[in-house]
Amino acid sequence: MSAMQRKKRTEAFLLGNEAVAEGALLAGCSFYAGYPITPSTEIMEVMARRLPHVENGVFLQMEDEIASAGAIIGASLAGRKVMTATSGPGFSLMQEQIGYACMTETPLVIVNVMRGGSSTGLPTSPGQGDVQQARWGAHGDHPIIVFSAADVRECLEMTITAFNYAEKYRTPVILLLDEITAHTREKIEIPRPGEFEVLSRLLPTMPPEWYKPYEETVRGVPPMPPIGTGYRFHVTGLTHDPLGFPTSRPDEVKAVTERMFRKIDRFFHDIQIVDHDQTEDADTLVIAYGSVARSARLAVRQAREAGVKAGLLSLKTLFPFPRPHVEKLLRTCKLVLVPEMNMGQISREVKRVNCGITTIRTINRVDGQIITPSQILKEIA
Amino acid sequence: MKEQITLDRFEIRLSGLGGQGILTLGKLLGHALALGHGYQVTQTQSYGPEARGGSSRADLVVSSHPISYPKTERLDFLVALSQEACNSYHHLLKKTGVLLVDTGLVKQTPTNVFLGLPFTELALERVKVPQAMNTVVLGAVTFLMPFAKRDVMRKSLLANLPEKIHKVNLKAFALGYDQARRLLAQPIDLKNGEDESAAKRGDMNLTDIMVED
């Protein structure tokens, strides 16, 4: 093979789910534990085929989703980059473990491919009903990062970003897809290693006897050695002191909780990712995410052709909610539409930010069908 | 030899019953059009929870430009391999859209303007493998779509199917292609569709492009 050929990227015709798995492998994921569930199963299938060929790669099929989340937390503490994927019913089961991962500041990536309905719902149909659950599903005050993706290329990119941010901020990152994004096949170019940034967690540089696992640092993110490398290691879901042992001393509890929030809060500008499409001069704005953002893109294009100044703000970060981006556009637009495949979960956030600045109209669809471009266009016109 | 044609959202729906191989057909077609022909393609699917018997469909949008909405809205080409599919989706065809049915399974078409071949019968009697029906369809579809190239489709077929069934599927593909050439005479004429979209651009009315689903 010549040098020219080797430089060429591979083109592939992939499902959104398959692109997630490719992204995970490119980001350095070497441990996957999961339990299959429609419509996320293809992620697990690809990982099962590919991980045995990765150096030290481990793939485990677990007995359920609780165990899956537990297994990836353990592997992450041992120094691996880890992922699991599920859908609504499995995501509910994982919530306790997600809270544990937040408290112990364990980096991990959980992909939730949202299906329609609550409970077992509509296994093969799309929905976007888990948005607020992804933010607030685990009990207690906790910061968390929630991403979404609209097309196959974004599935790959946002998975890599999810791994990077999990490691950088020592936090669980949830990637929310919907059935349409997950089950759409498209052509993508698979980037080659070195063409994108790959981040790993901060390791301690001090001698083991000086190391305090949850000590305050400049960024608020404490360094994290893998278990078994000589550094003191104590992990607990109880509120802990800088050494990692349980404490109920108010000053220590306050300090650790506030640091956990601060490590995310201070980097909102880094974490809040959005995409602008013709928003500069728009007076009608659509705010959308996931596959609905694609419908909105066509609707906005058709509205522009008909002379309406429409624009689209598509959200790739759902939480922390990209308030600065939204707020700025609320001031310049007369009408803001929020189409979602739920009864109004991101529109709550938009309304919270709005405080009466402009008119917000929601478009909700909960019949297991995608919101079509014409449905959005009707509201724009 | 067919030339490279510029397309603006050519929408295809392949529909029928679970177990007919509709999703595989969609994947093969999408793979060939995206990687072999160099078009932008989105292929989506919809199916019931049943492994066999439920309704099943695969949608493809083919375009020379980036595709925003990945699903189909107004069909240019509908392939219906069951009576139910034909009934349910016929109304989504554009005025200039083309309907292709399995004449053995679709007894009543909602219009006289349709193309048909007995795909299931062909697979059963000529290939002796009923499961190869979807590849017979792929052959016919390849002939009918003026922008689809035969050799590229064959390559996609070989790349996506396990080796032990290559031979039988190549036979089925050739059969479908030849039957279509002999009995359906000529590929779909894209000109009508272009006229329609040109008219749309000239005199734009939002209600014209809105579709109830």
Side-chain angles (χ1 to χ4, degrees):
Chain A
M1 204 188 274
S2 75
M4 270 300 284
Q5 277 172 316
R6 247 182 288 126
K7 264 188 194 155
K8 216 175 155 193
R9 295 176 178 183
T10 11
E11 267 193 346
F13 189 58
L14 294 184
L15 286 175
N17 275 342
E18 292 166 344
V20 166
E22 292 294 335
L25 293 166
L26 286 170
C29 176
S30 67
F31 187 97
Y32 183 102
Y35 187 81
I37 179 169
T38 304
S40 76
T41 309
E42 292 86 359
I43 298 176
M44 189 168 176
E45 287 173 352
V46 175
M47 294 309 268
R49 272 199 302 271
R50 298 280 295 278
L51 270 177
H53 304 291
V54 170
E55 197 187 347
N56 295 324
V58 176
F59 172 88
L60 286 176
Q61 170 155 352
M62 304 302 290
E63 67 269 35
D64 61 31
E65 288 86 351
I66 302 176
S68 307
I72 62 168
I73 291 173
S76 181
L77 291 171
R80 299 300 190 96
K81 289 191 182 181
V82 299
M83 179 171 83
T84 189
T86 187
S87 182
F91 193 57
S92 301
L93 289 177
M94 287 180 185
Q95 291 303 336
E96 184 180 347
Q97 306 278 26
I98 294 173
Y100 185 83
C102 288
M103 191 55 158
T104 57
E105 300 179 56
T106 309
L108 45 92
V109 175
I110 296 180
V111 185
N112 174 10
V113 184
M114 294 181 283
R115 40 155 99 178
S118 61
S119 186
T120 327
L122 295 159
T124 57
S125 303
Q128 293 181 320
D130 303 348
V131 172
Q132 292 289 346
Q133 191 198 9
R135 174 64 190 92
W136 293 113
H139 61 269
D141 259 348
H142 61 280
I144 199 162
I145 298 175
V146 183
F147 288 145
S148 72
D151 57 35
V152 176
R153 190 176 50 84
E154 270 181 30
C155 282
L156 184 131
E157 288 173 358
M158 291 315 288
T159 306
I160 296 176
T161 311
F163 271 94
N164 284 345
Y165 283 25
E167 297 286 322
K168 190 173 176 184
Y169 296 107
R170 271 191 77 173
T171 176
V173 177
I174 314 288
L175 177 60
L176 283 183
L177 306 180
D178 53 71
E179 190 273 338
I180 306 218
T181 310
H183 281 166
T184 297
R185 272 200 186 82
E186 267 179 304
K187 175 168 62 179
I188 61 163
E189 281 189 348
I190 308 221
R192 289 157 35 78
E195 286 185 332
F196 50 89
E197 198 179 25
V198 173
L199 300 176
S200 292
R201 63 193 69 165
L202 197 63
L203 298 173
T205 49
M206 68 282 276
E209 57 276 20
W210 292 5
Y211 173 67
K212 292 180 183 171
Y214 295 96
E215 204 179 18
E216 185 62 79
T217 64
V218 181
R219 270 209 299 135
V221 184
M224 184 181 182
I227 286 181
T229 48
Y231 287 85
R232 172 188 290 116
F233 219 105
H234 189 268
V235 182
T236 174
L238 289 166
T239 311
H240 38 263
D241 61 15
L243 292 174
F245 291 103
T247 178
S248 51
R249 262 178 52 188
D251 58 326
E252 287 180 340
V253 173
K254 182 169 183 278
V256 71
T257 313
E258 287 183 351
R259 180 182 55 71
M260 269 168 53
F261 274 89
R262 202 174 60 243
K263 74 176 180 184
I264 304 286
D265 291 358
R266 279 183 51 188
F267 296 92
F268 273 1
H269 59 278
D270 179 39
I271 301 170
Q272 294 170 340
I273 310 168
V274 297
D275 229 5
H276 290 267
D277 184 7
Q278 308 188 73
T279 54
E280 311 81 31
D281 62 337
D283 49 28
T284 305
L285 178 73
V286 184
I287 299 179
Y289 56 96
S291 59
V292 179
R294 300 188 71 161
S295 307
R297 182 156 295 148
L298 183 57
V300 163
R301 202 187 80 190
Q302 290 171 339
R304 284 268 170 181
E305 281 172 15
V308 181
K309 280 188 180 172
L312 168 67
L313 180 73
S314 52
L315 309 180
K316 292 184 186 176
T317 304
L318 299 181
F319 295 103
F321 187 68
R323 179 177 187 139
H325 299 275
V326 173
E327 210 165 30
K328 209 173 137 208
L329 290 170
L330 289 176
R331 292 185 193 287
T332 57
C333 295
K334 285 194 216 101
L335 172 65
V336 175
L337 298 169
V338 190
E340 300 179 82
M341 290 185 284
N342 57 45
M343 291 305 281
Q345 298 201 8
I346 278 294
S347 59
R348 296 171 81 96
E349 300 294 322
V350 178
K351 285 174 183 164
R352 175 174 68 81
V353 174
N354 184 37
C355 299
I357 302 173
T358 186
T359 313
I360 311 277
R361 214 181 292 156
T362 61
I363 303 173
N364 306 108
R365 186 155 193 182
V366 287
D367 58 355
Q369 303 295 313
I370 186 174
I371 294 181
T372 59
S374 23
Q375 213 180 337
I376 300 171
L377 195 58
K378 242 177 257 176
E379 297 291 326
I380 295 180
Chain B
M1 195 68 199
K2 291 171 181 173
E3 293 164 25
Q4 182 80 15
I5 297 173
T6 307
L7 295 174
D8 187 24
R9 279 194 87 89
F10 187 86
E11 302 191 350
I12 308 166
R13 172 165 293 178
L14 311 163
S15 57
L17 303 170
Q20 282 181 322
I22 306 269
L23 301 189
T24 312
L25 177 59
K27 188 185 165 187
L28 287 172
L29 200 54
H31 184 272
L33 291 171
L35 300 184
H37 294 76
Y39 287 113
Q40 300 289 331
V41 179
T42 57
Q43 185 246 313
T44 56
Q45 51 225 294
S46 168
Y47 48 89
E50 312 91 336
R52 281 196 190 82
S55 74
S56 170
R57 68 173 205 244
D59 290 352
L60 292 109
V61 180
V62 189
S63 182
S64 303
H65 317 291
I67 299 164
S68 46
Y69 182 57
K71 295 240 168 193
T72 53
E73 276 206 307
R74 280 155 50 92
L75 302 172
D76 292 280
F77 191 18
L78 171 64
V79 180
L81 301 177
S82 77
Q83 184 68 52
E84 193 195 2
C86 188
N87 298 350
S88 316
Y89 305 131
H90 173 256
H91 73 283
L92 295 173
L93 269 176
K94 281 182 187 166
K95 266 184 204 155
T96 54
V98 173
L99 172 66
L100 173 68
V101 301
D102 182 318
T103 45
L105 298 175
V106 180
K107 295 291 178 202
Q108 265 191 330
T109 50
T111 162
N112 288 331
V113 189
F114 70 96
L115 302 173
L117 284 173
F119 294 113
T120 310
E121 208 181 297
L122 285 170
L124 201 61
E125 286 173 9
R126 302 277 294 274
V127 192
K128 310 279 182 208
V129 181
Q131 291 92 329
M133 188 266 263
N134 56 352
T135 320
V136 182
V137 176
L138 182 70
V141 166
T142 304
F143 173 77
L144 285 173
M145 291 192 308
F147 48 86
K149 296 180 182 127
R150 185 178 182 166
D151 53 329
V152 179
M153 285 294 174
R154 277 171 53 106
K155 268 185 211 148
S156 164
L157 198 68
L158 298 179
N160 282 290
L161 295 178
E163 207 175 332
K164 61 178 180 188
I165 57 170
H166 276 180
K167 211 175 143 193
V168 63
N169 277 287
L170 285 179
K171 189 178 169 191
F173 178 79
L175 177 70
Y177 193 93
D178 292 340
Q179 289 284 319
R181 183 166 53 188
R182 222 143 34 90
L183 300 170
L184 308 179
Q186 59 183 10
I188 301 170
D189 187 5
L190 287 177
K191 285 220 181 74
N192 292 330
E194 277 171 18
D195 285 350
E196 190 190 40
S197 60
K200 209 168 70 185
R201 269 195 300 276
D203 182 21
M204 183 84 167
N205 184 350
L206 279 185
T207 51
D208 283 351
I209 49 176
M210 288 175 185
V211 188
E212 292 300 330
D213 51 325

